[in-house]
């Protein structure tokens, strides 16, 4: 009886409207049914599906950068299902079959035309599942660096430290090495201090460690350390290794700058010099006074 009632309802409406609409009555009723189903789908999505999604996302502990694209996918699927049902309810089955045939024929051509888009879409899926970085992370790749502002399924938007916005195809970030210095809670910084060959290495090492221990931005554990890493042409290189907590780009730059400045001041106080590069020029023959080059008076 329900099927019969569902059929009688539109027929009754059509008979009631036929005196007013005449030959376009069936077309108007079908269009109204189509529109009603689409609107009902939208209402169900906004009132029911979104709340269910929110609870599922909260239960799974998903970040904001993962929620937005998933919501877009679910919205598209719900709308697509609603439109499909609307076509059937409005009696547009023939049009729906024709549309499916056209879509199948066009899929191959579209696939070739949108290879880069599909490639970036797949890369975006990997970014969401593997989570090599998140919104707000500072990342570096190739010769670029910046803070991630937005991640979509096609591109990632990165704000550089010069306040430039880079729109990066996702495939670029999944096909090459991407460094995420803030992925962990601590970050090790390295800096090479060059001292003169005549200066005392042990004294310079003690100064470097002491200044690291004085800094509030530098962690006590792991402890700061110094290694002699270079015997360059004009200096002895002492590499300092320090750790900072909960790193960001601003914390990294400030902590290193303050630390290096403090070490430089101590070196000046203790008479330890940071030498300039020096070159010794020599030739095969003896030195000739330039005044004799002209051979004149």
């Amino acid at each position: 009886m329900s099927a019969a009632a569902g059929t009688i309802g539109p027929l009754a409406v059509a008979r009631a409207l036929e005196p007013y609409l005449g030959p376009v009555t069936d077309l108007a009723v079908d269009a109204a049914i189509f529109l009603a189903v689409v609107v009902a789908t939208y209402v169900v999505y906004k009132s029911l599906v979104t709340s269910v999604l929110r609870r599922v996302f909260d239960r799974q502990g998903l970040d904001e950068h993962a929620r937005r694209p998933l919501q877009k996918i679910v919205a598209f699927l719900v709308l697509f299902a609603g439109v499909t049902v609307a076509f059937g309810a409005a009696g547009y089955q023939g049009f729906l079959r024709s549309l499916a045939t056209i879509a199948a024929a066009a899929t191959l051509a579209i696939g070739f035309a949108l290879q880069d888009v599909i490639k970036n879409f797949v890369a975006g899926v990997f970014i969401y599942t593997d989570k090599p970085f998140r919104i707000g992370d500072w990342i570096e790749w190739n010769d670029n660096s910046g803070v991630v502002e937005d991640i979509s399924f096609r591109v990632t938007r990165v704000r550089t430290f010069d306040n430039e916005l880079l729109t990066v195809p996702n495939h670029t970030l999944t096909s090459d090495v991407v460094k995420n210095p803030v992925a962990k809670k601590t970050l090790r910084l390295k800096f090479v201090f060059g001292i003169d060959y005549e200066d005392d290495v042990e004294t310079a090492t003690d100064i470097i460690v002491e200044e690291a221990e004085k800094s509030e931005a530098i962690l006590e554990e792991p402890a700061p350390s110094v290694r002699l890493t270079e015997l360059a042409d004009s200096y002895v290189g002492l590499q300092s290794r320090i750790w900072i907590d909960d790193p960001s780009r601003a914390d990294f730059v400030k902590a290193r700058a303050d630390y290096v400045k403090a070490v430089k001041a101590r070196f000046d106080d203790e008479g330890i010099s940071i030498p300039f590069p020096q070159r010794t020029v020599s030739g095969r023959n003896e030195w000739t006074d330039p005044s004799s080059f002209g051979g004149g008076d």
Side-chain angles (χ1 to χ4, degrees):
M1 290 183 63
S2 60
T7 305
I8 292 173
L11 290 176
V13 173
R15 292 194 188 97
L17 294 176
E18 188 171 6
Y20 304 99
L21 301 178
V24 299
T25 301
D26 292 339
L27 181 62
V29 171
D30 291 342
I33 294 173
F34 177 85
L35 183 60
V37 174
V38 172
V39 171
T41 302
Y42 177 78
V43 171
V44 169
Y45 170 76
K46 295 296 289 185
S47 61
L48 179 62
V49 177
T50 53
S51 61
V52 172
L53 281 178
R54 192 178 302 110
R55 287 196 293 269
V56 172
F57 292 160
D58 292 340
R59 190 178 302 114
Q60 297 297 323
L62 293 181
D63 295 333
E64 181 63 24
H65 85 278
R67 296 189 181 207
R68 281 183 285 180
L70 290 176
Q71 287 175 341
K72 292 179 181 178
I73 291 176
V74 173
F76 173 78
L77 293 176
V78 172
L79 180 61
F80 179 79
V83 171
T84 303
V85 173
F87 273 120
Y92 296 149
Q93 291 89 345
F95 175 77
L96 193 60
R97 284 192 294 269
S98 300
L99 186 63
T101 303
I102 295 173
T107 299
L108 184 61
I110 294 175
F112 282 111
L114 301 179
Q115 289 186 54
D116 289 339
V117 174
I118 295 173
K119 181 169 59 177
N120 288 319
F121 176 83
V122 174
V125 173
F126 285 130
I127 290 176
Y128 284 111
T129 55
D130 296 342
K131 298 180 180 178
F133 50 82
R134 304 168 185 266
I135 292 176
D137 281 359
W138 151 37
I139 64 172
E140 298 178 357
W141 76 101
N142 296 333
D143 295 326
N144 302 295
S145 63
V147 176
V148 179
E149 284 200 345
D150 182 59
I151 304 172
S152 68
F153 275 113
R154 190 178 65 85
V155 297
T156 296
R157 292 176 177 84
V158 180
R159 179 74 60 179
T160 70
F161 302 110
D162 294 327
N163 204 34
E164 300 170 333
L165 183 63
L166 302 182
T167 301
V168 188
N170 286 333
H171 178 68
T172 301
L173 298 177
T174 56
S175 62
D176 207 341
V177 176
V178 175
K179 183 167 71 173
N180 186 350
V182 297
K184 303 299 181 181
K185 292 184 177 181
T186 57
L187 174 67
R188 188 178 74 174
L189 307 180
K190 295 184 291 185
F191 189 87
V192 176
F193 295 94
I195 65 173
D196 195 277
Y197 271 90
E198 296 182 359
D199 292 328
D200 185 67
V201 172
E202 295 300 327
T203 301
T205 299
D206 292 341
I207 291 174
I208 294 172
V209 173
E210 288 171 6
E211 292 304 317
E213 293 173 345
K214 292 179 182 179
S215 174
E216 295 181 356
I218 298 174
L219 296 176
E220 297 180 359
E221 187 64 33
S225 62
V226 179
R227 297 289 185 272
L228 196 159
T229 57
E230 294 183 59
L231 294 175
D233 294 337
S234 57
Y235 68 89
V236 176
L238 301 177
Q239 185 184 79
S240 172
R241 302 178 182 184
I242 57 177
W243 293 80
I244 62 173
D245 189 24
D246 194 18
S248 69
R249 171 71 179 188
D251 294 335
F252 158 70
V253 173
K254 186 177 187 305
R256 186 177 66 175
D258 292 345
Y259 171 56
V260 173
K261 182 179 178 180
V263 172
K264 173 65 168 60
R266 281 288 305 280
F267 277 1
D268 293 341
D269 293 340
E270 300 291 336
I272 296 176
S273 59
I274 300 178
F276 294 101
Q278 301 178 8
R279 293 180 182 272
T280 302
V281 181
S282 62
R284 293 179 179 273
N285 301 322
E286 295 182 357
W287 175 257
T288 303
D289 192 322
S291 61
S292 65
F293 287 172
D297 298 334

